[in-house]
Structure formats: structure tokens, C-alpha cells
PDB file of all heavy atoms in Angstrom:
ATOM      1  N   LEU A   1    -125.244 126.682-125.067  1.00 81.00           N
ATOM      2  CA  LEU A   1    -126.362 126.061-125.731  1.00 81.00           C
ATOM      3  C   LEU A   1    -126.707 124.725-125.170  1.00 81.00           C
ATOM      4  O   LEU A   1    -127.896 124.356-124.979  1.00 81.00           O
ATOM      5  CB  LEU A   1    -126.020 125.924-127.225  1.00 81.00           C
ATOM      6  CG  LEU A   1    -126.930 125.154-128.100  1.00 81.00           C
ATOM      7  CD1 LEU A   1    -128.261 125.906-128.215  1.00 81.00           C
ATOM      8  CD2 LEU A   1    -126.323 124.906-129.464  1.00 81.00           C
ATOM      9  N   LEU A   2    -125.662 123.948-124.977  1.00 75.00           N
ATOM     10  CA  LEU A   2    -125.918 122.573-124.448  1.00 75.00           C
ATOM     11  C   LEU A   2    -126.369 122.420-123.073  1.00 75.00           C
ATOM     12  O   LEU A   2    -127.031 121.513-122.633  1.00 75.00           O
ATOM     13  CB  LEU A   2    -124.651 121.748-124.623  1.00 75.00           C
ATOM     14  CG  LEU A   2    -124.112 121.660-126.068  1.00 75.00           C
ATOM     15  CD1 LEU A   2    -122.847 120.890-126.063  1.00 75.00           C
ATOM     16  CD2 LEU A   2    -125.178 120.906-126.938  1.00 75.00           C
ATOM     17  N   ASP A   3    -126.026 123.459-122.255  1.00 77.00           N
ATOM     18  CA  ASP A   3    -126.485 123.553-120.816  1.00 77.00           C
ATOM     19  C   ASP A   3    -127.924 124.081-120.637  1.00 77.00           C
ATOM     20  O   ASP A   3    -128.485 124.056-119.547  1.00 77.00           O
ATOM     21  CB  ASP A   3    -125.538 124.375-119.975  1.00 77.00           C
ATOM     22  CG  ASP A   3    -124.182 123.781-119.733  1.00 77.00           C
ATOM     23  OD1 ASP A   3    -124.160 122.434-119.897  1.00 77.00           O
ATOM     24  OD2 ASP A   3    -123.198 124.393-119.548  1.00 77.00           O
ATOM     25  N   GLY A   4    -128.459 124.556-121.734  1.00 74.00           N
ATOM     26  CA  GLY A   4    -129.906 125.087-121.718  1.00 74.00           C
ATOM     27  C   GLY A   4    -130.874 123.976-121.727  1.00 74.00           C
ATOM     28  O   GLY A   4    -130.606 122.780-121.547  1.00 74.00           O
ATOM     29  N   PRO A   5    -132.193 124.303-121.953  1.00 73.00           N
ATOM     30  CA  PRO A   5    -133.233 123.297-121.970  1.00 73.00           C
ATOM     31  C   PRO A   5    -132.994 122.287-123.115  1.00 73.00           C
ATOM     32  O   PRO A   5    -132.445 122.698-124.249  1.00 73.00           O
ATOM     33  CB  PRO A   5    -134.479 124.163-122.294  1.00 73.00           C
ATOM     34  CG  PRO A   5    -134.084 125.618-121.961  1.00 73.00           C
ATOM     35  CD  PRO A   5    -132.648 125.717-122.184  1.00 73.00           C
ATOM     36  N   PRO A   6    -133.265 121.048-122.844  1.00 70.00           N
ATOM     37  CA  PRO A   6    -133.013 120.042-123.810  1.00 70.00           C
ATOM     38  C   PRO A   6    -133.824 120.321-125.139  1.00 70.00           C
ATOM     39  O   PRO A   6    -134.918 120.663-125.038  1.00 70.00           O
ATOM     40  CB  PRO A   6    -133.387 118.757-123.229  1.00 70.00           C
ATOM     41  CG  PRO A   6    -134.387 119.201-122.080  1.00 70.00           C
ATOM     42  CD  PRO A   6    -133.897 120.477-121.641  1.00 70.00           C
ATOM     43  N   PRO A   7    -133.235 120.105-126.331  1.00 69.00           N
ATOM     44  CA  PRO A   7    -133.906 120.326-127.546  1.00 69.00           C
ATOM     45  C   PRO A   7    -134.964 119.342-127.791  1.00 69.00           C
ATOM     46  O   PRO A   7    -134.873 118.126-127.354  1.00 69.00           O
ATOM     47  CB  PRO A   7    -132.797 120.297-128.580  1.00 69.00           C
ATOM     48  CG  PRO A   7    -131.801 119.401-128.029  1.00 69.00           C
ATOM     49  CD  PRO A   7    -131.829 119.683-126.481  1.00 69.00           C
ATOM     50  N   SER A   8    -136.012 119.759-128.573  1.00 73.00           N
ATOM     51  CA  SER A   8    -137.216 118.857-128.843  1.00 73.00           C
ATOM     52  C   SER A   8    -136.899 117.919-129.915  1.00 73.00           C
ATOM     53  O   SER A   8    -137.582 116.994-130.134  1.00 73.00           O
ATOM     54  CB  SER A   8    -138.377 119.675-129.123  1.00 73.00           C
ATOM     55  OG  SER A   8    -138.141 120.480-130.218  1.00 73.00           O
ATOM     56  N   ARG A   9    -135.743 118.191-130.692  1.00 80.00           N
ATOM     57  CA  ARG A   9    -135.343 117.281-131.762  1.00 80.00           C
ATOM     58  C   ARG A   9    -133.826 117.389-131.852  1.00 80.00           C
ATOM     59  O   ARG A   9    -133.084 118.176-131.258  1.00 80.00           O
ATOM     60  CB  ARG A   9    -135.923 117.810-133.047  1.00 80.00           C
ATOM     61  CG  ARG A   9    -135.778 119.234-133.382  1.00 80.00           C
ATOM     62  CD  ARG A   9    -136.647 119.640-134.483  1.00 80.00           C
ATOM     63  NE  ARG A   9    -136.678 121.059-134.763  1.00 80.00           N
ATOM     64  CZ  ARG A   9    -136.366 121.631-135.914  1.00 80.00           C
ATOM     65  NH1 ARG A   9    -136.109 120.913-136.981  1.00 80.00           N
ATOM     66  NH2 ARG A   9    -136.406 122.997-136.054  1.00 80.00           N
ATOM     67  N   PRO A  10    -133.185 116.392-132.624  1.00 86.00           N
ATOM     68  CA  PRO A  10    -131.737 116.352-132.659  1.00 86.00           C
ATOM     69  C   PRO A  10    -131.077 117.670-133.249  1.00 86.00           C
ATOM     70  O   PRO A  10    -131.735 118.357-134.048  1.00 86.00           O
ATOM     71  CB  PRO A  10    -131.446 115.141-133.642  1.00 86.00           C
ATOM     72  CG  PRO A  10    -132.696 114.386-133.552  1.00 86.00           C
ATOM     73  CD  PRO A  10    -133.789 115.357-133.297  1.00 86.00           C
ATOM     74  N   LEU A  11    -129.910 117.928-132.732  1.00 88.00           N
ATOM     75  CA  LEU A  11    -129.250 119.129-133.199  1.00 88.00           C
ATOM     76  C   LEU A  11    -128.090 118.724-134.243  1.00 88.00           C
ATOM     77  O   LEU A  11    -127.391 117.737-134.109  1.00 88.00           O
ATOM     78  CB  LEU A  11    -128.459 119.844-132.053  1.00 88.00           C
ATOM     79  CG  LEU A  11    -129.318 120.676-131.117  1.00 88.00           C
ATOM     80  CD1 LEU A  11    -128.451 121.063-129.861  1.00 88.00           C
ATOM     81  CD2 LEU A  11    -129.868 121.858-131.858  1.00 88.00           C
ATOM     82  N   ALA A  12    -127.966 119.600-135.177  1.00 91.00           N
ATOM     83  CA  ALA A  12    -126.921 119.467-136.126  1.00 91.00           C
ATOM     84  C   ALA A  12    -126.090 120.839-136.131  1.00 91.00           C
ATOM     85  O   ALA A  12    -126.644 121.863-136.358  1.00 91.00           O
ATOM     86  CB  ALA A  12    -127.332 119.207-137.519  1.00 91.00           C
ATOM     87  N   LEU A  13    -124.797 120.847-135.717  1.00 89.00           N
ATOM     88  CA  LEU A  13    -124.041 122.010-135.600  1.00 89.00           C
ATOM     89  C   LEU A  13    -122.857 122.055-136.603  1.00 89.00           C
ATOM     90  O   LEU A  13    -122.098 121.200-136.644  1.00 89.00           O
ATOM     91  CB  LEU A  13    -123.497 122.166-134.156  1.00 89.00           C
ATOM     92  CG  LEU A  13    -124.440 121.951-132.981  1.00 89.00           C
ATOM     93  CD1 LEU A  13    -123.650 122.063-131.641  1.00 89.00           C
ATOM     94  CD2 LEU A  13    -125.442 123.062-133.028  1.00 89.00           C
ATOM     95  N   GLY A  14    -122.893 123.099-137.439  1.00 89.00           N
ATOM     96  CA  GLY A  14    -121.876 123.257-138.499  1.00 89.00           C
ATOM     97  C   GLY A  14    -120.702 124.011-137.926  1.00 89.00           C
ATOM     98  O   GLY A  14    -120.829 125.198-137.429  1.00 89.00           O
ATOM     99  N   LEU A  15    -119.547 123.459-138.072  1.00 85.00           N
ATOM    100  CA  LEU A  15    -118.246 123.928-137.538  1.00 85.00           C
ATOM    101  C   LEU A  15    -117.186 123.882-138.489  1.00 85.00           C
ATOM    102  O   LEU A  15    -116.891 122.823-139.055  1.00 85.00           O
ATOM    103  CB  LEU A  15    -117.847 123.287-136.228  1.00 85.00           C
ATOM    104  CG  LEU A  15    -118.932 123.129-135.114  1.00 85.00           C
ATOM    105  CD1 LEU A  15    -118.480 122.068-134.076  1.00 85.00           C
ATOM    106  CD2 LEU A  15    -119.179 124.390-134.402  1.00 85.00           C
ATOM    107  N   ASP A  16    -116.598 125.021-138.797  1.00 81.00           N
ATOM    108  CA  ASP A  16    -115.411 125.017-139.698  1.00 81.00           C
ATOM    109  C   ASP A  16    -114.465 126.149-139.341  1.00 81.00           C
ATOM    110  O   ASP A  16    -114.703 126.954-138.390  1.00 81.00           O
ATOM    111  CB  ASP A  16    -115.812 124.979-141.156  1.00 81.00           C
ATOM    112  CG  ASP A  16    -116.447 126.256-141.678  1.00 81.00           C
ATOM    113  OD1 ASP A  16    -116.471 127.298-140.920  1.00 81.00           O
ATOM    114  OD2 ASP A  16    -116.885 126.329-142.749  1.00 81.00           O
ATOM    115  N   VAL A  17    -113.450 126.371-140.175  1.00 76.00           N
ATOM    116  CA  VAL A  17    -112.467 127.323-139.843  1.00 76.00           C
ATOM    117  C   VAL A  17    -112.939 128.733-139.901  1.00 76.00           C
ATOM    118  O   VAL A  17    -112.309 129.727-139.440  1.00 76.00           O
ATOM    119  CB  VAL A  17    -111.150 127.138-140.784  1.00 76.00           C
ATOM    120  CG1 VAL A  17    -110.505 125.841-140.573  1.00 76.00           C
ATOM    121  CG2 VAL A  17    -111.576 127.334-142.211  1.00 76.00           C
ATOM    122  N   ARG A  18    -114.127 128.954-140.519  1.00 72.00           N
ATOM    123  CA  ARG A  18    -114.687 130.296-140.594  1.00 72.00           C
ATOM    124  C   ARG A  18    -115.416 130.617-139.233  1.00 72.00           C
ATOM    125  O   ARG A  18    -115.753 131.828-139.053  1.00 72.00           O
ATOM    126  CB  ARG A  18    -115.710 130.429-141.669  1.00 72.00           C
ATOM    127  CG  ARG A  18    -114.990 130.261-143.119  1.00 72.00           C
ATOM    128  CD  ARG A  18    -116.060 130.160-144.180  1.00 72.00           C
ATOM    129  NE  ARG A  18    -116.902 128.938-143.961  1.00 72.00           N
ATOM    130  CZ  ARG A  18    -117.958 128.755-144.723  1.00 72.00           C
ATOM    131  NH1 ARG A  18    -118.291 129.540-145.644  1.00 72.00           N
ATOM    132  NH2 ARG A  18    -118.583 127.622-144.471  1.00 72.00           N
ATOM    133  N   ASN A  19    -115.694 129.692-138.413  1.00 66.00           N
ATOM    134  CA  ASN A  19    -116.216 129.997-137.166  1.00 66.00           C
ATOM    135  C   ASN A  19    -115.385 130.957-136.349  1.00 66.00           C
ATOM    136  O   ASN A  19    -114.167 130.723-136.204  1.00 66.00           O
ATOM    137  CB  ASN A  19    -116.493 128.731-136.329  1.00 66.00           C
ATOM    138  CG  ASN A  19    -117.615 127.833-136.773  1.00 66.00           C
ATOM    139  OD1 ASN A  19    -117.557 127.405-137.879  1.00 66.00           O
ATOM    140  ND2 ASN A  19    -118.664 127.855-135.927  1.00 66.00           N
ATOM    141  N   ARG A  20    -116.009 131.936-135.645  1.00 66.00           N
ATOM    142  CA  ARG A  20    -115.309 132.782-134.782  1.00 66.00           C
ATOM    143  C   ARG A  20    -114.727 131.931-133.564  1.00 66.00           C
ATOM    144  O   ARG A  20    -115.369 131.095-133.118  1.00 66.00           O
ATOM    145  CB  ARG A  20    -116.232 133.883-134.278  1.00 66.00           C
ATOM    146  CG  ARG A  20    -115.471 135.050-133.484  1.00 66.00           C
ATOM    147  CD  ARG A  20    -116.431 136.118-133.115  1.00 66.00           C
ATOM    148  NE  ARG A  20    -117.388 135.690-132.051  1.00 66.00           N
ATOM    149  CZ  ARG A  20    -118.429 136.329-131.742  1.00 66.00           C
ATOM    150  NH1 ARG A  20    -118.728 137.500-132.371  1.00 66.00           N
ATOM    151  NH2 ARG A  20    -119.268 135.915-130.791  1.00 66.00           N
ATOM    152  N   ASP A  21    -113.523 132.165-133.221  1.00 71.00           N
ATOM    153  CA  ASP A  21    -112.769 131.547-132.208  1.00 71.00           C
ATOM    154  C   ASP A  21    -112.611 129.973-132.387  1.00 71.00           C
ATOM    155  O   ASP A  21    -112.469 129.262-131.504  1.00 71.00           O
ATOM    156  CB  ASP A  21    -113.323 131.719-130.789  1.00 71.00           C
ATOM    157  CG  ASP A  21    -114.678 131.140-130.512  1.00 71.00           C
ATOM    158  OD1 ASP A  21    -115.125 130.234-131.230  1.00 71.00           O
ATOM    159  OD2 ASP A  21    -115.327 131.695-129.580  1.00 71.00           O
ATOM    160  N   PHE A  22    -112.647 129.549-133.650  1.00 77.00           N
ATOM    161  CA  PHE A  22    -112.493 128.101-134.013  1.00 77.00           C
ATOM    162  C   PHE A  22    -111.047 127.787-133.655  1.00 77.00           C
ATOM    163  O   PHE A  22    -110.017 128.389-133.897  1.00 77.00           O
ATOM    164  CB  PHE A  22    -112.645 127.902-135.499  1.00 77.00           C
ATOM    165  CG  PHE A  22    -112.486 126.443-135.945  1.00 77.00           C
ATOM    166  CD1 PHE A  22    -113.513 125.549-135.774  1.00 77.00           C
ATOM    167  CD2 PHE A  22    -111.228 125.983-136.392  1.00 77.00           C
ATOM    168  CE1 PHE A  22    -113.343 124.237-136.124  1.00 77.00           C
ATOM    169  CE2 PHE A  22    -111.112 124.673-136.687  1.00 77.00           C
ATOM    170  CZ  PHE A  22    -112.126 123.783-136.666  1.00 77.00           C
ATOM    171  N   GLY A  23    -110.949 126.557-133.024  1.00 78.00           N
ATOM    172  CA  GLY A  23    -109.611 126.056-132.680  1.00 78.00           C
ATOM    173  C   GLY A  23    -109.740 124.496-132.649  1.00 78.00           C
ATOM    174  O   GLY A  23    -110.748 123.943-132.074  1.00 78.00           O
ATOM    175  N   VAL A  24    -108.741 123.738-133.120  1.00 81.00           N
ATOM    176  CA  VAL A  24    -108.869 122.301-133.113  1.00 81.00           C
ATOM    177  C   VAL A  24    -108.846 121.778-131.728  1.00 81.00           C
ATOM    178  O   VAL A  24    -109.686 120.868-131.413  1.00 81.00           O
ATOM    179  CB  VAL A  24    -107.685 121.739-133.902  1.00 81.00           C
ATOM    180  CG1 VAL A  24    -107.608 120.251-133.805  1.00 81.00           C
ATOM    181  CG2 VAL A  24    -107.808 122.070-135.393  1.00 81.00           C
TER     182      VAL A  24
END
């Protein structure tokens, strides 16, 4: 996602233990 085209507005990414392949 971050290596793609730059976003036109700021990004907010929600991350928690329910994320697939989540790891600290």
C-alpha cells in the first residue's frame, strides 16, 4: 500500500490483534 501512488489525503490505518498476521 505504501509503495503505491501517494495518497491524496492523510491515511489512518487501524491495527489490532484481530488483524490477520498481526505481530508486535
Side-chain angles (χ1 to χ4, degrees):
L1 171 69
L2 299 176
D3 288 336
S8 58
R9 50 194 175 124
L11 281 173
L13 305 178
L15 306 167
D16 68 8
V17 295
R18 294 171 298 173
N19 284 68
R20 192 175 68 191
D21 70 20
F22 180 87
V24 172

